[in-house]
Amino acid sequence: MLQDVWLAIDERRYGQAESILQTSDELRPTRAGQMALGYILSHTGRHEEAREVYRNLREQHRGDEWEHIAVHQQGRVERLAGEHRKALEFFAEERKLIEKHSDDPHKFAANAFEAAQCHLALLNLKEARHRMTEALERAHQHDDPEMLGRAERGMADLSLLEGHPDAAKLHLERAQVAFQQADDEFAVREIDAQLQNL
């Protein structure tokens, strides 16, 4: 059932994902269920409700290795709400938590990618490139095609803002290969549309 919820989320069928979740009294109250609920809420503009979900999850895991995931999601809510500076504060906090508990390149890649997205939105292009490059390098270390695809797509967005459409095309083509390796057909179709619009 959780897999069905996340498949719907990945394909941006948030209403369907929420329906599946709400009909499961077993899944909904679990950490995994609450993580998915917060994700749905934040992507459907219900930011205050999402903040509450992740605040509660963080309190439940304060001081343990999982806390950084709740903090990461707190940052994502703020980014999606357009509060990019506030989001960056959460991502800085998350990075310290990761450094304290782990050297997992995937965790650093996800953190750097989200920070880069915020810097992109704030048009801090130099810092965005620095963070997106880190996300790419960490994704390569972890052999993580999904994160690699996201980081390459982020590099394409950055290249477009810098006025380099040829570089953007190259990054999008690399992103497409990575998403194909990750079996993310939805992302592959999205990249197709972006390439046609370049």
Side-chain angles (χ1 to χ4, degrees):
M1 179 161 297
L2 184 62
Q3 196 174 357
D4 294 336
V5 171
W6 278 106
L7 180 62
I9 288 171
D10 288 343
E11 295 183 353
R12 297 184 189 162
R13 294 181 280 114
Y14 300 119
Q16 191 174 354
E18 190 169 4
S19 294
I20 298 167
L21 196 57
Q22 296 299 0
T23 56
S24 174
D25 291 336
E26 282 181 24
L27 176 60
R28 194 174 57 257
T30 66
R31 183 174 78 186
Q34 287 298 292
M35 276 287 289
L37 177 62
Y39 208 91
I40 293 163
L41 292 168
S42 57
H43 279 272
T44 52
R46 290 172 284 171
H47 301 119
E48 201 45 58
E49 291 173 73
R51 286 181 182 111
E52 173 101 12
V53 167
Y54 291 130
R55 222 176 359 247
N56 289 340
L57 280 172
R58 183 176 186 182
E59 281 310 312
Q60 289 164 27
H61 291 278
R62 193 169 286 281
D64 72 24
E65 279 188 41
W66 199 87
E67 183 183 358
H68 85 89
I69 295 174
V71 177
H72 183 84
Q73 295 303 330
Q74 286 180 302
R76 287 190 84 260
V77 173
E78 298 308 331
R79 178 173 70 75
L80 291 166
E83 300 289 343
H84 298 103
R85 292 185 204 289
K86 194 169 179 184
L88 282 168
E89 289 174 17
F90 279 116
F91 294 129
E93 201 177 342
E94 183 205 8
R95 190 177 183 95
K96 286 179 187 168
L97 289 169
I98 296 170
E99 287 168 350
K100 185 177 170 184
H101 291 288
S102 171
D103 59 359
D104 181 345
H106 173 74
K107 293 176 181 179
F108 283 103
N111 175 269
F113 174 76
E114 288 292 341
Q117 293 284 87
C118 293
H119 285 296
L120 262 178
L122 293 166
L123 297 179
N124 300 334
L125 301 188
K126 187 177 176 183
E127 189 60 28
R129 179 166 288 280
H130 172 68
R131 295 307 184 93
M132 203 66 82
T133 301
E134 184 193 354
L136 267 177
E137 288 168 356
R138 298 282 194 167
H140 274 297
Q141 284 172 20
H142 190 253
D143 193 21
D144 183 345
E146 184 72 31
M147 180 52 70
L148 199 56
R150 289 183 196 172
E152 288 286 6
R153 186 163 57 188
M155 280 294 208
D157 293 339
L158 180 58
S159 297
L160 285 173
L161 280 172
E162 292 172 334
H164 303 299
D166 290 344
K169 182 173 185 284
L170 184 62
H171 285 300
L172 284 173
E173 287 167 351
R174 288 181 188 157
Q176 193 165 47
V177 170
F179 285 131
Q180 283 166 346
Q181 289 172 345
D183 294 323
D184 189 337
E185 292 172 20
F186 188 81
V188 169
R189 290 197 300 272
E190 278 189 326
I191 300 285
D192 264 337
Q194 282 180 275
L195 282 167
Q196 285 169 22
N197 289 328
L198 264 186

